[in-house]
């Protein structure tokens, strides 16, 4: 009996020592976390009051837009690099004029931002997925796509991979866009400012549907989008640290997304999406860029 007690005591001391070491490290380093499950743990409702609801013991979020206000949530933490996944079911029926947004953003006038925006449409017409990138407060890097399914009928997974080398947008784990870091050639890239995760639904009928020709039909309100299975695999920002230490080492990263890039299969899927479903590419908008397309467009290598 005495030996059994000693073994238990030794195990307890070992576990307690590991816990103390973990807590000590997390207090001084940028903490790499993987989180899933309850929305209560990881987000705050930041807009819309009762129009935003956390339901089913934290497993479901609904955001609603009516003629008085939209609604939204934000993550409790800021991140510098990571992978964010969420399952989203978009507004059904006539959603013209509405935008459901899922994005990362820093603060301040020279902010960085990585966007998914879903542009509502009249019943029977497809949603447009609008992606964009802000660096140092400058946007204008829009790409738009149709989807190969009806996003109103069921939940689908939308993901952002953001690492020091690239940003990848994915739908059901299929890449639809890749933006490569060309800072060494003078192209700004979101690599220094921590970002929070945000999501919102709002009225944008000045531009969202057919360039603003179709306005929101408020007789169809309220408009509701639903979220589940939020997964955050990211580095939580702390003011004394950065993610650059892991990038600078030669050892394999503790998080595979930190150096993730498209393999041959991913490049083929990206090419398929862009060939069949792309609606708009800023890199070929010569009316917008009358003095020449942006430098990153010239540097971009398309799969093929």
């Amino acid at each position: 009996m005495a030996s059994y007690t000693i073994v238990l005591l030794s195990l307890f001391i070992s576990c307690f020592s590991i816990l103390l070491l973990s807590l000590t490290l997390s207090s001084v380093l940028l903490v790499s976390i993987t989180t899933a499950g309850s929305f209560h743990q990881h987000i705050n409702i930041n807009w819309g009051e009762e129009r935003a609801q956390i339901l089913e013991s934290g497993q479901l979020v609904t955001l609603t837009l009516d003629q008085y206000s939209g609604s939204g949530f934000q993550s409790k933490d800021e991140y510098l690099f990571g992978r964010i996944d969420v399952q989203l079911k978009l507004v059904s029926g006539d959603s013209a004029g509405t935008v459901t947004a899922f994005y990362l953003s820093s603060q301040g006038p020279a902010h960085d931002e990585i966007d998914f925006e879903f542009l509502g449409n009249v019943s029977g017409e497809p949603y447009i997925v609008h992606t964009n990138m802000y660096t140092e407060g400058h946007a204008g890097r829009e790409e738009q796509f149709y989807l190969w399914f009806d996003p109103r009928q069921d939940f689908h997974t939308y993901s952002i991979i953001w690492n020091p080398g690239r940003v990848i947008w994915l739908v059901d784990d299929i890449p639809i866009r890749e933006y490569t870091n060309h800072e060494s050639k003078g192209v700004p890239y979101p690599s220094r400012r921590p970002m929070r995760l945000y999501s919102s639904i709002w009225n944008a009928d000045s531009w969202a549907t057919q360039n603003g020709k179709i306005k929101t039909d408020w007789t169809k309100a309220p408009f509701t989008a639903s979220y589940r299975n939020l997964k955050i695999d990211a580095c939580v920002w702390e003011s004394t640290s950065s993610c650059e230490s892991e990038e600078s080492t030669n050892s394999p990263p503790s998080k595979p997304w930190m150096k993730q890039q498209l393999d041959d299969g991913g490049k083929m899927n990206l090419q398929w999406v862009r060939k069949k479903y792309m609606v708009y590419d800023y890199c070929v908008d010569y009316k917008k860029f009358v003095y020449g397309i942006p430098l990153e467009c010239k540097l971009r290598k398309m799969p093929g």
Side-chain angles (χ1 to χ4, degrees):
M1 186 68 178
S3 61
Y4 180 74
T5 302
I6 292 171
V7 170
L8 286 178
L9 182 60
S10 298
L11 287 173
F12 175 78
I13 292 172
S14 298
C15 291
F16 185 71
S17 298
I18 292 171
L19 177 61
L20 284 178
L21 176 62
S22 175
L23 290 174
T24 301
L25 287 174
S26 68
S27 68
V28 298
L29 298 177
L30 191 73
V31 185
S32 183
I33 62 165
T34 301
T35 62
S38 174
F39 280 93
H40 287 295
Q41 293 176 274
H42 309 301
I43 69 162
N44 291 318
I45 302 301
N46 66 326
W47 179 38
E49 299 176 333
E50 73 282 353
R51 296 172 186 83
Q53 299 285 329
I54 303 178
L55 306 169
E56 298 182 4
S57 301
Q59 302 305 304
L60 179 72
V61 167
T62 58
L63 297 182
T64 296
L65 166 69
D66 59 28
Q67 57 265 49
Y68 303 106
S69 177
S71 56
F73 65 77
Q74 69 177 41
S75 63
K76 294 179 180 180
D77 293 316
E78 293 180 295
Y79 312 105
L80 186 62
F81 306 131
R83 174 168 180 153
I84 313 292
D85 305 85
V86 72
Q87 289 189 323
L88 172 60
K89 183 163 69 173
L90 295 173
V91 175
S92 61
D94 186 342
S95 59
T98 71
V99 170
T100 304
F102 172 69
Y103 61 103
L104 291 162
S105 181
S106 63
Q107 299 299 308
H111 78 291
D112 298 330
E113 188 171 315
I114 302 167
D115 292 344
F116 266 116
E117 292 182 316
F118 303 90
L119 312 186
N121 223 316
V122 295
S123 299
E125 294 187 2
Y127 266 82
I128 288 177
V129 180
H130 178 97
T131 66
N132 200 359
M133 166 84 79
Y134 287 72
T135 54
E136 299 177 0
H138 298 288
R141 299 180 177 92
E142 300 94 344
E143 292 185 5
Q144 296 180 344
F145 307 85
Y146 289 129
L147 292 169
W148 48 96
F149 53 82
D150 188 342
R152 300 164 292 194
Q153 298 301 312
D154 202 355
F155 286 91
H156 290 268
T157 303
Y158 303 91
S159 309
I160 296 171
I161 296 173
W162 169 38
N163 66 38
R166 59 196 39 81
V167 177
I168 305 172
W169 292 253
L170 304 103
V171 177
D172 288 338
D173 219 29
I174 295 174
I176 65 170
R177 180 177 182 182
E178 180 184 39
Y179 185 94
T180 303
N181 184 348
H182 290 300
E183 281 188 301
S184 63
K185 297 179 173 64
V187 179
Y189 183 81
S191 60
R192 287 174 290 276
R193 297 178 182 86
M195 297 198 243
R196 290 188 191 274
L197 172 67
Y198 296 89
S199 194
S200 60
I201 183 169
W202 49 289
N203 179 38
D205 64 8
S206 62
W207 65 274
T209 305
Q210 297 183 26
N211 295 318
K213 295 178 182 177
I214 308 298
K215 303 299 182 182
T216 304
D217 183 353
W218 293 111
T219 65
K220 303 294 194 303
F223 306 100
T224 299
S226 301
Y227 301 74
R228 69 182 187 190
N229 291 340
L230 173 65
K231 296 180 180 179
I232 302 173
D233 188 356
C235 294
V236 176
W237 174 258
E238 292 182 1
S239 60
T240 59
S241 304
S242 77
C243 279
E244 295 173 358
S245 58
E246 181 167 352
E247 172 64 11
S248 64
T249 64
N250 294 321
S251 60
S254 61
K255 297 296 183 181
W257 47 259
M258 183 60 84
K259 294 186 178 180
Q260 186 169 342
Q261 54 188 314
L262 297 182
D263 58 16
D264 290 341
K267 291 176 182 178
M268 289 179 63
N269 284 332
L270 180 64
Q271 184 181 35
W272 171 75
V273 170
R274 299 178 76 86
K275 182 177 180 180
K276 294 196 65 174
Y277 298 103
M278 192 166 205
V279 178
Y280 174 81
D281 181 357
Y282 78 106
C283 281
V284 294
D285 190 343
Y286 302 109
K287 292 182 179 179
K288 179 177 181 179
F289 299 107
V290 293
Y291 298 108
I293 62 172
L295 177 57
E296 69 268 17
C297 297
K298 300 173 184 178
L299 297 170
R300 187 172 70 184
K301 294 180 180 180
M302 295 307 301

